[in-house]
Amino acid sequence: MKNVLILFLALIVLCISCKKDNPPTAESSPLIKTKWILSQIQNTKTKEVINYPSDARKKITISFSDSMNILNFSGVWNGGSGQYSYSIADGTIKVTDFFTTLIYGKYVEWEDYVRDNLYEASRYKTYGNTLEIDSKGTYNLFFVKTQY
């Protein structure tokens, strides 16, 4: 009987200590339901920072939906979307199944920088109105928050 009581108490302690993580919401995550405008990129090897061209005809933006984990992309010439997953706890982020249209024009290489480095995204952090997405690729991406 004593062993059964100890086992029962151990199960209660185990159940109490287990906590189910709630999925991120717009209130708990600064990423969700926010439009982010690309402001600059940073070379991952040299740490050189390059500002987004001020004379580009359009801004490059990304936004994270709060349902179905869809990342939307709007570029100078092209648009697209993909799937994302991330962790608020450890700052990891992953983008998969990302596709864009392929129209060519001035500054389209900036769309390539975003697309290619989102594929290689590993970590993210927000501070103030800035979103930094660190990449295992060539460039880290920096975005500024705007109204959705």
Side-chain angles (χ1 to χ4, degrees), residues 19 24-25 29 43 47 54 56 68 72-73 89 92 98 114 124 126:
K19 179 183 169 192
T25 64
S29 171
N43 186 297
K47 303 301 181 196
S54 59
M68 298 176 36
N72 292 303
F73 166 81
T92 57
F98 191 68
V114 173
Y124 80 95
T126 58

Side-chain angles (χ1 to χ4, degrees), residues 44-109:
T44 56
K45 291 187 180 18
T46 67
K47 303 301 181 196
E48 176 189 10
V49 173
I50 305 165
N51 291 320
Y52 185 75
S54 59
D55 64 335
R57 70 178 199 93
K58 198 173 163 193
K59 304 288 185 193
I60 295 176
T61 64
I62 61 172
S63 60
F64 299 85
S65 73
D66 63 346
S67 61
M68 298 176 36
N69 291 358
I70 295 177
L71 170 67
N72 292 303
F73 166 81
S74 177
V76 180
W77 300 97
N78 297 286
S81 64
Q83 297 285 314
Y84 73 92
S85 60
Y86 71 102
S87 169
I88 294 172
D90 66 6
T92 57
I93 188 166
K94 183 173 183 167
V95 176
T96 58
D97 303 324
F98 191 68
F99 71 93
T100 64
T101 56
L102 297 173
I103 299 170
Y104 182 78
K106 186 176 181 182
Y107 297 127
V108 74
E109 69 274 9

Side-chain angles (χ1 to χ4, degrees), residues 2 18-21 24-26 33 38 40-41 45 48 60-61 77 86-88 115 124 129 133 147-148:
K2 185 177 179 183
C18 292
K19 179 183 169 192
K20 183 179 177 190
D21 290 335
T25 64
K33 294 184 86 174
L38 181 69
Q40 59 191 21
I41 58 176
K45 291 187 180 18
E48 176 189 10
I60 295 176
T61 64
W77 300 97
Y86 71 102
S87 169
I88 294 172
R115 183 192 63 240
Y124 80 95
N129 288 329
I133 298 179
Q147 297 298 324
Y148 196 44

